[in-house]
Each structure stands twice: as structure tokens, then as C-alpha cells.
Amino acid sequence: METADGVSFRGIADEDLTITELTRLAPGQTLPVRYRPAVMDHYVALARDADPAHVQQLADEIASRKRT
């Protein structure tokens, strides 16, 4: 996982997805998550309420960093 600040870490998600969510997944797809940097237990939770436009903006920023 990579944060908007450019910090990379391994994240573990232990959540169930609905059948609808499963059918919408595609290979290589990324999902927004919430994490607790102060705890650093590596557990994350899906950010189902995240604004799609903001998620796309962050994904674009992360992708542009990887290209440079």
C-alpha cells in the first residue's frame, strides 16, 4: 500500500465483500482503505464512504510519483 504522502507499507484487510462488490472487482483494481499510522499493526479497513473523485485524484498523484 502507498499513502498520499508517499509512505509504502504492507496492509492486511480482513473484511467480507458482498457478492455485488465481488462481481465489480477487476484484476489490478485498487480500493481505498483507512489505516492507523500511529498503531502500525498493518491492518486496514476498506473506505467504502470515500469520495470517488478524491480517491481518483490521490491515485493519479501516486501514479505520477511512480513514473518519475
Side-chain angles (χ1 to χ4, degrees), residues 1 9-15 33-37 39-46:
M1 309 210 155
F9 67 96
R10 180 179 173 187
I12 302 165
D14 186 15
E15 293 188 44
V33 297
R34 299 195 191 295
Y35 68 103
R36 302 176 303 169
V39 178
M40 292 304 291
D41 63 0
H42 301 287
Y43 281 93
V44 297
L46 292 177

Side-chain angles (χ1 to χ4, degrees), residues 8-21:
S8 294
F9 67 96
R10 180 179 173 187
I12 302 165
D14 186 15
E15 293 188 44
D16 294 328
L17 299 175
T18 67
I19 191 68
T20 303
E21 290 169 327

Side-chain angles (χ1 to χ4, degrees), residues 7 12 20 25-26 40 45 67-68:
V7 177
I12 302 165
T20 303
L25 289 178
M40 292 304 291
R67 286 191 293 262
T68 57

